Amino acid sequence: RKEVEQDPGPFNVPEGATVAFNCTYSNSASQSFFWYRQDCRKEPKLLMSVYSSGNEDGRFTAQLNRASQYISLLIRDSKLSDSATYLCVVSPAGNNRKLIWGLGTSLAVNP
Amino acid sequence: NAGVMQNPRHLVRRRGQEARLRCSPMKGHSHVYWYRQLPEEGLKFMVYLQKENIIDESGMPKERFSAEFPKEGPSILRIQQVVRGDSAAYFCASSPSNQYEQYFGPGTRLTVT
């Protein structure tokens, strides 16, 4: 089983749609969780950290379910500029700073 | 506050030559990470360094690859005797001591001809 698993997609949605991505992780002791986005041929950029209580940043909402070991990202009112690959990232337990990266979920928002 | 800087942005090497990739972390960041990304594939962790120390090199190929982060100056990823399979985008990231979030540079695209 992969340490971090994501549905690769692609997700094709019209502008204005709401889309949700899930990600599962295998290490129950994992401590920190993030969503990054990566545009084609560019570097990954931090989208948001995921807190136990869930957090929202504009049209983006992240949730963490420790019992089921999954993280979700919800995008409301999709824009064309949201088209990218979304990477789920988990930090293992302890002081290990080596992040574990999912392979990403591809999103295409269509006009 | 400048972000993570990498140079060169593009590097072309012939088979058998050496490639040197440089990374300057964000100001105040003492942790540096190198990743490799092949076309149409995910990020692959290579190595994690702090100043003058390699902390985790579990993703580094056993031969031809080395990395350093000296007390002064940028972190260097060195690939000796490059082969076609080394062609990839190499990303560097940095993080501060009190956070796990990593911030990425624009990458170096290595092409081996």
Side-chain angles (χ1 to χ4, degrees), chain A residues 7-110:
Chain A
D7 180 346
F11 284 60
N12 285 286
V13 303
E15 269 187 291
T18 294
V19 60
F21 307 136
N22 287 330
C23 161
T24 58
Y25 60 96
S26 61
N27 186 345
S28 60
S30 296
Q31 293 186 331
S32 301
F33 309 88
F34 312 98
W35 283 101
Y36 280 73
R37 73 169 274 169
Q38 186 174 25
D39 293 274
C40 187
R41 299 181 64 78
K42 297 281 187 70
E43 73 273 24
K45 293 188 176 175
L46 179 65
L47 183 62
M48 55 200 308
S49 302
V50 187
Y51 305 120
S52 295
S53 56
N55 47 305
E56 187 173 313
D57 183 2
R59 299 180 293 107
F60 299 83
T61 301
Q63 297 277 356
L64 168 63
N65 185 320
R66 284 191 183 274
S68 301
Q69 292 178 216
Y70 80 79
I71 309 146
S72 64
L73 177 69
L74 183 77
I75 306 175
R76 289 180 299 277
D77 189 23
S78 300
K79 310 291 185 193
L80 295 177
S81 58
D82 293 334
S83 299
T85 297
Y86 290 82
L87 301 164
C88 174
V89 188
V90 174
S91 83
N95 293 320
N96 189 342
R97 288 173 160 270
K98 175 186 165 184
L99 298 180
I100 310 300
W101 295 74
L103 294 180
T105 297
S106 175
L107 172 66
V109 180
N110 306 305

